[in-house]
Amino acid sequence: MADEALFTRHDVVFSSSDSTCAAWLYLPAGVSSPPVVVLGHGLGATREMRLDAFAEQFASAGIAALAFTYRHFGDSGGQPRQLLSIKRQLADWDAAIAYVKARPEVDGSRVAVWGSSFGGGHAITVASRHPELAAAVSQCPFTDGLASALALGPVASLRLTPVVARDLVAKVRGWDPVLVPLAGVPGALAFMNAPDALPGYQALIPPGGTFTNGAAAREIPRLATYRPGRAAKNVTMPILFCVSNTDSVTPPAQTLRYARTAPQGEIKTYAAGHFEFYLGDTFEQLVTDQLEFLVRHLQPAPARSTTRRAARQRSVKGKKVGSDAPVLPS
């Protein structure tokens, strides 16, 4: 864990459309009116799954952070549960940005967005729609639904069709959604079934934590047509793309093609898999690179302590992919 003397963490809730999003607001100690970065996670993931690790490091460097969970997941509001709606999640990002701009403790004129995986794709879309933002970070981003569907495999994609049909019937009749696992073993019916997908999700669950491994099947066709990478050319502020060279979920070749179209884009590549970005040495390198970028563009005042490096080293301790992580409940 990071040195908690460097920041305070507050449990907060903000309104989004018809419901609420639960979040953590991190405020750096001894810093008046700091800039702020908004953090959103990936496919069906919640803020407890290592968003706190990144937010702690940003706060320790003098940058406030808001890490939130999308509606319909975790302890956020929204019915039905486990609904993975692109439109609603983008609305949650808009609501989160509006929320931090209204907080008197932070500088609403210096706001950045940070997204990972599916949230990394959202960060591109959101940045293209909010030219007033100071910066954006897109980590191992989902940039092209068609490319990700092809990575899943055509046979696996076809097997999802009858499940989607059943869930659409459930939607019409007002029944509970028909869920598809977010992560499964290779060959399994799931949103992601790469070899590192299931152990990757398991490694992100905190000790004693729980996670529902499933999302409503009805949104699968929309995922295949969601191509947030196309919005990169419309992102006018500096944006940092952190790309896995061996990404099994979001093919890096397509991501890099999109990233190069951003007028002020910066690209960092890493010899690590999609789920290795959250732990260990890769996390350490990512935080170093992202902090250099965010400090350069957000211009935070120095934090109260000079022990940020030691704090960062402590926070990288965690279970490696494939370790004794808890099993995801279905």
Side-chain angles (χ1 to χ4, degrees):
M1 295 292 292
D3 185 347
E4 294 185 4
L6 301 178
F7 59 84
T8 56
R9 190 180 90 176
H10 307 267
D11 293 317
V12 299
V13 175
F14 60 88
S15 297
S16 181
S17 187
D18 59 349
S19 191
T20 57
C21 292
W24 291 319
L25 177 64
Y26 294 78
L27 297 175
V31 179
S32 177
S33 194
V36 58
V37 58
V38 177
L39 296 91
H41 218 318
L43 203 71
T46 63
R47 67 189 186 281
E48 292 85 0
M49 298 168 73
R50 295 288 287 175
L51 284 196
D52 52 346
F54 288 90
E56 287 171 0
Q57 301 314 314
F58 301 154
S60 296
I63 301 171
L66 180 79
F68 74 95
T69 298
Y70 300 109
R71 283 176 293 164
H72 305 281
F73 293 92
D75 58 351
S76 288
Q79 293 292 334
R81 305 307 296 166
Q82 305 305 117
L83 178 65
L84 204 162
S85 165
I86 295 168
K87 181 179 180 180
R88 286 171 174 261
Q89 291 193 353
L90 290 174
D92 293 344
W93 278 96
D94 291 341
I97 291 170
Y99 176 77
V100 296
K101 285 182 178 180
R103 292 288 304 205
E105 307 96 328
V106 304
D107 183 352
S109 69
R110 290 183 292 162
V111 179
V113 291
W114 180 105
S116 188
S117 192
F118 201 60
H122 287 334
I124 301 171
T125 301
V126 170
S128 74
R129 297 178 177 180
H130 287 270
E132 78 280 7
L133 294 174
V137 176
S138 180
Q139 175 176 290
C140 56
F142 173 101
T143 56
D144 193 295
L146 180 58
S148 292
L150 292 173
L152 181 65
V155 174
S157 297
L158 287 172
R159 289 173 56 206
L160 289 168
T161 303
V163 187
V164 172
R166 294 207 315 271
D167 192 35
L168 289 173
V169 171
K171 177 182 179 181
V172 170
R173 297 185 177 181
W175 299 342
D176 289 339
V178 177
L179 302 185
V180 171
L182 290 159
V185 299
L189 195 69
F191 281 83
M192 293 176 287
N193 62 11
D196 58 340
L198 182 57
Y201 266 73
Q202 290 173 329
L204 302 182
I205 304 172
T210 60
F211 175 67
T212 300
N213 183 21
R218 67 191 65 169
E219 295 296 321
I220 289 173
R222 291 186 177 87
L223 298 187
T225 60
Y226 184 41
R227 308 179 84 176
R230 290 183 168 184
K233 62 182 181 295
N234 300 321
V235 176
T236 57
M237 74 287 300
I239 180 171
L240 174 64
F241 296 90
C242 299
V243 183
S244 161
N245 285 333
T246 58
D247 203 313
S248 61
V249 176
T250 57
Q254 185 67 285
T255 295
L256 291 171
R257 280 193 287 270
Y258 286 131
R260 295 186 186 108
T261 69
Q264 294 196 69
E266 300 179 29
I267 301 172
K268 295 280 188 180
T269 58
Y270 303 85
H274 186 90
F275 294 96
E276 293 178 298
F277 272 33
Y278 303 93
L279 298 165
D281 292 340
T282 305
F283 169 83
E284 172 77 10
Q285 186 59 57
L286 280 159
V287 167
T288 298
D289 293 342
Q290 292 171 6
L291 269 176
E292 187 280 328
F293 173 83
L294 290 171
V295 167
R296 180 159 33 100
H297 294 292
L298 295 180
Q299 301 279 306
R304 187 169 65 184
S305 172
T306 59
T307 62
R308 294 193 297 273
R309 174 78 178 179
R312 190 157 65 246
Q313 289 175 335
R314 284 193 292 274
S315 77
V316 303
K317 295 179 180 179
K319 298 181 291 295
K320 294 182 179 179
V321 171
S323 68
D324 295 330
V327 175
L328 283 69
S330 58

